[in-house]
Every structure is written in C-alpha cells, then in structure tokens.
C-alpha cells in the first residue's frame, strides 16, 4: 500500500474529472483513515489496500474509490453482496441485532456487479468484479453537493434511499471503467 497523499494509484485525476464532471482533487489514503472514514462510504471493501478519496472543492461532493485484488475476489464479491442485503441475527432471550440493507440493483458490467443505495450522506455507488479485481466506487456526484438537502425516496419495500442513487450508480460504473 502506498502512503497517504500520493496521486491515486488506481485511477488518474483526469479520468475522475472526465467520468464525474467538474474539477476533482484526488488522493490516496493508506487504507481507510480515521479522519476521512466518517465522510466516506466504507460499507463495501472497508479494508481495501488501495483506497482513494476525491473531493469536488466547489460544492463539497465526495467520492471513494477502493480496489482489491486477490484470488478470492469472486468469494469476496459474494460476501459483500450478502452483507449489502442486511441481516437480523437472533441473539437469544428475545434479542436480535439487525443491520440495514443497502443493496441496490444488479448492473451489467464486468464479470458481476451491483449498486448500493445511499448511505446517510447520500453517497451511493457500485461494486464491480473483473476477474480477480474488485472495484467499489461510491459518490455524491449526482447530487447538489454538501449544501444541498438530499432528496429522499421510499422504495417499493419501504427501503429508504435517495433520488440520486441510480444516477450515482451510473457515474460510479462509468468511473470504475477507468480504474486499472
């Protein structure tokens, strides 16, 4: 893992600007740092050895780019998709622990891929597997930026999401195409 602050080894700043539009500042984090962690969507590939952060200075839009390579990529993809469904675990004595689901739609790209719904900061994205490489991009690029009020949408199954989820997914897939 390269140190923090360097250019992102997974994708160029020019490719981020082209995929997402605007002028982005892109830098590499040495793993997901404690400082950026709360602001970045770390629900998927939280431990990715290559993690980059991009911010659009003009309006405070954020993007996380995470890349994982390994022979277990297909199994990791399946685990991440299962985790995205959310779960309820019975702890006995009438207690159960639930995790909120964030699985969006499947998308046709790479060997297999799915979108995520927005996190509390309305960042949504896509996880794509290409062979032994997993890439997760999550972004708020489709929204109005940090000053805008997120546009909440209630889905068919009462799942809460954002009207920007599909657009952020599409932008994420576009950016993933440039990640090497």
């Amino acid at each position: 893992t390269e140190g923090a602050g360097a250019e992102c080894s997974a994708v160029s700043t020019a490719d981020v600007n082209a995929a997402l539009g605007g002028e982005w500042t892109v830098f590499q984090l040495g793993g997901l740092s404690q400082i950026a962690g709360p602001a970045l969507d770390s629900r998927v590939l939280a431990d990715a050895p290559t993690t980059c952060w991009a911010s659009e200075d003009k309006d405070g839009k954020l993007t996380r780019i995470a890349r994982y390579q390994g022979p277990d990529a297909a199994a990791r993809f399946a685990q991440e998709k299962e985790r995205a469904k959310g779960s309820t675990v019975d702890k006995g004595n009438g207690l159960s622990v639930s995790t909120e689901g964030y699985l969006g739609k499947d998308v046709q790209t790479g060997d297999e891929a799915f979108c995520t719904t927005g996190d509390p900061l309305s960042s949504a994205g896509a996880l794509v597997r290409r062979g032994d490489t997993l890439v997760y991009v999550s972004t708020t690029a489709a929204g109005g930026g940090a000053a805008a009020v997120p546009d909440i949408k209630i889905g068919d199954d009462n799942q809460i999401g954002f009207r920007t989820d599909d657009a952020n997914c599409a932008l994420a897939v576009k950016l993933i195409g440039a990640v090497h």
Side-chain angles (χ1 to χ4, degrees), residues 45-64:
L45 296 182
D47 62 343
T50 302
T51 298
C52 300
W53 185 10
S55 65
E56 224 271 335
D57 302 326
K58 182 171 59 91
D59 52 23
K61 295 176 181 179
L62 296 175
T63 298
R64 175 176 175 247

Side-chain angles (χ1 to χ4, degrees), residues 37-127:
L40 294 178
D41 177 1
S42 60
R43 297 173 297 176
V44 179
L45 296 182
D47 62 343
T50 302
T51 298
C52 300
W53 185 10
S55 65
E56 224 271 335
D57 302 326
K58 182 171 59 91
D59 52 23
K61 295 176 181 179
L62 296 175
T63 298
R64 175 176 175 247
I65 303 144
R67 184 184 65 202
Y68 171 83
Q69 286 180 287
D72 61 338
R76 280 285 304 261
F77 180 91
Q79 287 173 339
E80 293 288 355
K81 189 168 186 177
E82 194 58 37
R83 188 177 304 127
K85 292 176 183 175
S87 66
T88 300
V89 178
D90 185 351
K91 295 290 189 180
N93 294 331
L95 295 174
S96 63
V97 176
S98 295
T99 60
E100 200 65 42
Y102 48 89
L103 181 63
K105 63 186 180 186
D106 285 343
V107 282
Q108 299 304 309
T109 186
D111 294 324
E112 50 188 341
F114 68 87
C115 292
T116 58
T117 59
D119 72 357
L121 299 175
S122 78
S123 188
L127 176 66

Side-chain angles (χ1 to χ4, degrees), residues 105-164:
K105 63 186 180 186
D106 285 343
V107 282
Q108 299 304 309
T109 186
D111 294 324
E112 50 188 341
F114 68 87
C115 292
T116 58
T117 59
D119 72 357
L121 299 175
S122 78
S123 188
L127 176 66
V128 176
R129 183 179 70 82
R130 295 186 303 235
D132 68 352
T133 301
L134 296 176
V135 179
Y136 181 62
V137 168
S138 183
T139 186
T140 60
V149 176
D151 192 359
I152 294 173
K153 169 184 96 174
I154 308 292
D156 302 334
D157 53 359
N158 288 330
Q159 184 174 354
I160 297 173
F162 298 92
R163 295 205 191 284
T164 53

Side-chain angles (χ1 to χ4, degrees), residues 160-177:
I160 297 173
F162 298 92
R163 295 205 191 284
T164 53
D165 286 357
D166 287 346
N168 280 328
C169 175
L171 288 169
V173 168
K174 187 175 175 185
L175 179 53
I176 288 168

